[in-house]
């Protein structure tokens, strides 16, 4: 299959291209599109057969449900039941934006989307191209991140093409994603409400609306095999480049001393801007200042993919504090590393 590329520079001038992309989705094909978080692989969510194709193409386990993307909060009641008032409060404050809410589902949502769960995850993305595309489709768009399952999520159209070229009908190129990590997922289907996945909307921000809100135990720890995982996607090794990622904790002098003794050709480093001068290996990328979590989130997946292109065998990554958006960055790095940590 040839993958058609729709480059959008100006949403008005390029409207026809978006109409063509929406037409493909309406016909049951898969089209990747930009959101503010990461690129999504979109299908008409009301077409079970189209949704099944997403799982085939990504190599995604069928028990891992998808997020419904809607253009505004008025669509919530078409697909969700028993919506608590807090859901509307959160939508008013954070939508469009990087927040996904898990709510009880209506039977209007195909089983393929929810993997048979009695809940459905819904979000309204803060990206003009995504919102226009969904409106043109005229139905909710089911979209996981547009990568091969397990790989780092795509934050540029080029990342999508690298993983999925020839396997999907189209890619809408709307430039780089601003947030860079996937949306925060909050479960409102049962009390106490809980964060299942950290993202661009922080726990601190959520608690301004919800009061104190818990964090699923899988966010910063490896889930135990016996534990049922609330966001089924979080149990798999995830966000991982081909190289082995190892988190490098501790003082920078010692950390650099440790890495600088390793093979300089096959060892990659992902560090903070101010740490670059300490490292002597060949492939070093920085992803923002130590306390600039937003920059780190935006660059994280791109840097992991870029280090892979250098064919390093191991990537030693410096990990931020887990406060604010730093929590989302640490969570992705932990998952990418399969919880491998070196403490120097
Ligand atoms: O930012 C994002 O959320 C991106 C963009 C494209 O919108 N999408 C995304 O989708 O990250 P995906 O499929 O890569 O991750 C969705 C996560 C998975 O961990 C899945 O298990 C969880 O959401 N999820 C989906 N439906 C759920 C439900 N009903 N209950 C609990 N978790 C759910
Ligand atoms: Mg994903």
């Amino acid at each position: 299959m040839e993958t058609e590329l729709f480059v959008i520079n100006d949403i008005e001038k390029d409207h026809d291209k978006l109409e063509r992309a929406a037409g493909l989705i309406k016909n049951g094909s898969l089209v990747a599109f930009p959101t503010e978080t990461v690129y999504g692989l979109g299908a008409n969510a009301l077409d079970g057969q189209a949704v099944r194709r997403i799982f085939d193409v990504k190599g995604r386990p069928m028990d891992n449900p998808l997020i419904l993307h809607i253009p505004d909060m008025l669509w919530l009641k078409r697909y969700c039941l028993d919506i608590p008032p807090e859901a509307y409060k959160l939508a008013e404050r954070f939508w469009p934006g990087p927040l996904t809410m898990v709510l009880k589902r209506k039977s209007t949502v195909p089983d393929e989307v929810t993997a048979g769960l009695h809940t459905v995850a819904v979000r309204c993305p803060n990206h003009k191209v995504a919102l226009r595309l969904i409106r043109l489709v005229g139905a909710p768009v089911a979209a996981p991140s547009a990568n091969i399952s397990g790989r780092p999520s795509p934050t540029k159209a080029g990342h999508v093409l690298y993983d999925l070229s020839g396997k999907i009908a189209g890619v809408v190129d709307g430039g780089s994603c601003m947030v860079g990590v996937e949306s925060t997922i909050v479960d409102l289907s049962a009390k106490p409400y809980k964060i299942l996945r950290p993202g661009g909307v922080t726990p601190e921000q959520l608690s301004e609306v919800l009061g104190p809100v818990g964090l699923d135990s899988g966010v910063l720890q490896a889930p135990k095999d016996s534990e049922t995982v609330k966001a089924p996607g979080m149990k798999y090794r995830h966000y991982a480049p081909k190289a082995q990622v190892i988190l490098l904790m501790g003082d920078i002098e010692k950390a650099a001393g440790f890495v600088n003794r390793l093979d300089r050709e096959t060892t990659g480093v992902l560090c903070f801007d101010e740490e670059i001068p300490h490292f002597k290996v060949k492939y070093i990328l920085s992803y923002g200042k130590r306390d600039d979590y937003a920059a780190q989130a935006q660059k994280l997946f791109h840097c992991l993919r870029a280090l892979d292109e250098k064919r390093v065998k191991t990537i030693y990554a410096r990990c931020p504090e887990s406060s604010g958006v730093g929590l989302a960055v640490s969570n992705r790095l932990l998952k990418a590393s399969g919880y491998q940590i070196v403490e120097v």
Side-chain angles (χ1 to χ4, degrees), residues 33 35 37-41 58 60 63-67 69 98 100 102-103 113-114 117 119-121 123 125 143-147 153 181-185 187 196-197 230-234 238-239:
F33 63 98
T35 80
T37 58
V38 301
Y39 273 74
L41 179 58
K58 277 185 58 99
R60 181 177 175 108
D63 67 350
N64 190 4
L66 305 176
I67 296 174
H69 292 70
T100 296
V102 173
L103 294 160
V113 172
T114 65
L117 296 178
T119 56
V120 62
R123 111 172 172 95
S145 48
N147 52 302
S153 295
V181 292
E182 304 83 350
S183 60
T184 303
I185 304 179
D187 185 356
L196 304 183
R197 180 177 73 183
K230 268 302 194 79
M234 301 309 276
H238 237 108
Y239 317 116

Side-chain angles (χ1 to χ4, degrees), residues 21-31 33 41-54 66-69 75 79 108 110 112-113 134 137-143:
L24 290 170
I25 295 180
K26 281 201 250 184
N27 288 335
S29 299
L30 306 185
V31 176
F33 63 98
L41 179 58
N44 175 355
L46 304 182
D47 176 347
Q49 213 178 331
V51 172
R52 242 174 284 143
R53 273 188 207 117
I54 290 181
L66 305 176
I67 296 174
L68 280 194
H69 292 70
W75 286 36
Y79 308 107
T108 43
E112 285 86 350
V113 172
I134 299 165
V137 172
V141 171

Side-chain angles (χ1 to χ4, degrees), residues 136-207:
L136 288 170
V137 172
V141 171
S145 48
N147 52 302
I148 295 288
S149 259
R151 301 254 308 133
S153 295
T155 55
K156 297 171 195 272
H159 300 160
V160 179
L161 289 169
Y162 183 90
D163 279 14
L164 300 176
S165 184
K167 297 183 177 159
I168 60 177
V171 177
V172 177
D173 182 350
S176 292
C177 302
M178 292 305 293
V179 177
V181 292
E182 304 83 350
S183 60
T184 303
I185 304 179
V186 62
D187 185 356
L188 304 179
S189 70
K191 284 195 169 168
Y193 300 150
K194 220 188 223 182
I195 297 169
L196 304 183
R197 180 177 73 183
V201 174
T202 64
E204 296 85 344
Q205 287 174 310
L206 284 177
S207 64

